[in-house]
Amino acid sequence: MEFRIERGALAEAVAWAARVLPVRSPVPVLGGLLLDMESGGGGRDGTGVGTGAGRLRISGLDYEASARIDVEAEALSPGKVLVMGRRLLDICKVLPDGPVECAVEGSRFTVSGDGARFGLSVLPLDDYPALPPLPQVRGAVDAELFAAAVADVAVAAGRDDTLPALTGIRLELDGDTMTLAATDRYRFAVRTVPWKATAPGESADVLVSARRLTEIARSLGRSGLVSVALDAGSAGFEHAGMRTTVRLLEGRLPRHEKLFAMEDPAEAVVDRARLTEAVKRVSVVADGDSPVQMTFSRADASVTLRAGYEDDVASQRLPAALEGAEELTVAFNPGYLADALATFTGPSLRLRLMRAGQRAMITDEADTGGHRHLLMSVRAQLA
């Protein structure tokens, strides 16, 4: 096996595949990356060695996920090799820019470029498990919309591994709509995006690790279409020569429809950027989980944010239009509130508010239903 490739292309491909490798594994070969060089059928150079454009496929897997990427490389001779993935990634990071030559020499895989040369011991190919196949493709979604939607809901996913279902993102396919949702019981984020089903009436409802899905969405690029594949046990995503699979989580998230139905709430409209900055500003004195309190006044057309206790306090007043109540005070965990606000991009936000200690809904002012973030308000009052 021997091939030539640009350092940047090799480094990016190795980094993409290596992200699924386990940090520690009792099975050494699972720390490996499989490099498979296929010849492009070119001619031969002066030494009789075959040359030409070819495809280098780099693959990695652990017990939960797999990744495979294809990149162009100049094939000098085809073949396969299994090497320690993180060590190869470290080498790629320090190689000089320019063309890199890679080859298997006996029991060693060599990487060289611009006078630098590295050797890596190879792992036994026979012990390496086969990559799981891509499940049935159900349709495709715009890569940029998909990445944004995953990021918007992932902030609400739980971090406690003792409750695995709450660490996931619900992925629901129904007709021409994809719905993503996540909750940790204190907040609930939902985002819908259009998608193209492979067949009329295509539907599915699965739970995918929020951490894994976030990594996947970030890595697949921001242009073109992402193919979405699902079966009873796994989800797969494919885009521009990159293919990845992840095992589904067991369990289900609660349905959000009834929770999101709010009877006769007060509604406030406020500038998103100014509210976001105000929350950051007053949260400086909010120790631990002490709340940020928001007092809305219809008469003054304002909202006053307060945080802190006793002598360590902060406040800021902003314009806000309130309807459905003369005055209303709610309080939120400052971290949860900041996370929610950061997922919106429109100029103004609409807040549907119940009494303190009940739920509040944040949407863009127009509230088209595509992006909603529910927060539980707290009863704590500031001194």
Side-chain angles (χ1 to χ4, degrees):
M1 174 191 188
E2 187 176 1
F3 62 90
R4 186 180 294 114
I5 188 173
E6 286 293 318
R7 185 207 69 85
L10 179 63
E12 289 181 7
V14 169
W16 192 86
R19 64 188 172 77
V20 302
L21 299 181
V23 177
R24 297 181 183 86
S25 173
V27 184
V29 293
L30 289 185
L33 285 178
L34 178 64
L35 279 63
D36 184 357
M37 186 67 236
E38 292 189 0
S39 173
R44 294 182 177 272
D45 62 17
T47 64
V49 177
T51 62
R55 185 202 67 190
L56 173 64
R57 173 168 290 175
I58 304 178
S59 309
L61 78 163
D62 70 0
Y63 295 110
E64 302 296 330
S66 72
R68 193 190 81 185
I69 182 169
D70 293 346
V71 292
E72 291 185 358
E74 183 182 352
L76 303 179
S77 64
K80 296 181 181 181
V81 65
L82 183 66
V83 297
M84 292 304 297
R86 298 190 187 279
R87 178 60 59 84
L88 179 59
L89 179 59
D90 289 341
I91 290 172
C92 290
K93 290 177 179 178
V94 299
L95 279 169
D97 287 333
V100 174
E101 293 191 6
C102 303
V104 175
E105 300 176 359
S107 61
R108 176 182 295 173
F109 179 68
T110 62
V111 183
S112 58
D114 196 21
R117 182 178 173 86
F118 297 86
L120 279 173
S121 57
V122 301
L123 301 172
L125 278 171
D126 291 343
D127 295 341
Y128 194 65
L131 260 69
L134 191 72
Q136 178 188 352
V137 174
R138 302 297 189 92
V141 62
D142 180 84
E144 184 175 8
L145 281 178
F146 180 64
V150 171
D152 286 344
V153 303
V155 297
R159 309 293 191 270
D160 186 356
D161 289 334
T162 62
L163 299 170
L166 294 183
T167 67
I169 291 177
R170 178 185 175 205
L171 180 62
E172 182 183 14
L173 308 177
D174 185 11
D176 59 359
T177 300
M178 171 187 287
T179 301
L180 298 100
T183 181
D184 61 2
R185 296 181 298 179
Y186 306 104
R187 45 190 171 166
F188 207 134
V190 175
R191 176 80 188 270
T192 60
V193 294
W195 92 304
K196 299 179 180 179
T198 55
E202 192 74 63
S203 65
D205 191 349
V206 299
L207 196 59
V208 186
S209 161
R211 179 179 65 84
R212 294 284 192 185
L213 192 57
T214 299
E215 290 176 351
I216 290 168
R218 286 174 177 171
S219 69
L220 288 176
R222 296 302 177 96
S223 62
L225 295 176
V226 174
S227 295
V228 180
L230 297 171
D231 61 20
S234 63
F237 304 88
E238 188 170 25
H239 174 64
M242 297 174 283
R243 174 184 291 188
T244 185
T245 64
V246 59
R247 184 179 297 177
L248 299 178
L249 296 177
E250 295 182 357
R252 300 177 69 88
L253 293 186
R255 303 290 303 189
H256 63 273
E257 288 83 355
K258 290 184 178 180
L259 187 63
F260 280 24
M262 303 172 69
E263 186 175 351
D264 297 326
E267 295 191 12
V269 176
V270 62
D271 181 271
R272 178 192 58 82
R274 295 187 67 179
L275 179 60
T276 300
E277 287 301 315
V279 170
K280 291 180 181 177
R281 191 168 291 123
V282 302
S283 295
V284 170
V285 298
D287 295 329
D289 291 331
S290 64
V292 169
Q293 179 177 286
M294 304 172 69
T295 300
F296 293 88
S297 170
R298 183 174 183 177
D300 295 339
S302 68
V303 57
T304 301
L305 286 78
R306 297 183 178 89
Y309 293 102
E310 298 180 348
D311 293 330
D312 298 322
V313 294
S315 66
Q316 182 166 356
R317 185 180 180 189
L318 301 173
L322 179 66
E323 297 179 357
E326 292 301 318
E327 186 173 286
L328 184 64
T329 297
V330 290
F332 301 103
N333 175 297
Y336 292 173
L337 180 57
D339 285 346
L341 296 178
T343 64
F344 291 90
T345 58
S348 300
L349 298 177
R350 182 177 299 276
L351 284 70
R352 288 185 169 86
L353 307 165
M354 306 296 282
R355 297 186 302 275
Q358 296 191 20
R359 60 196 186 278
M361 176 76 72
I362 303 175
T363 69
D364 285 314
E365 182 181 0
D367 187 17
T368 59
H371 181 197
R372 297 186 173 190
H373 198 114
L374 192 79
L375 287 176
M376 294 304 299
S377 61
V378 297
R379 294 184 181 278
Q381 301 294 313
L382 304 183

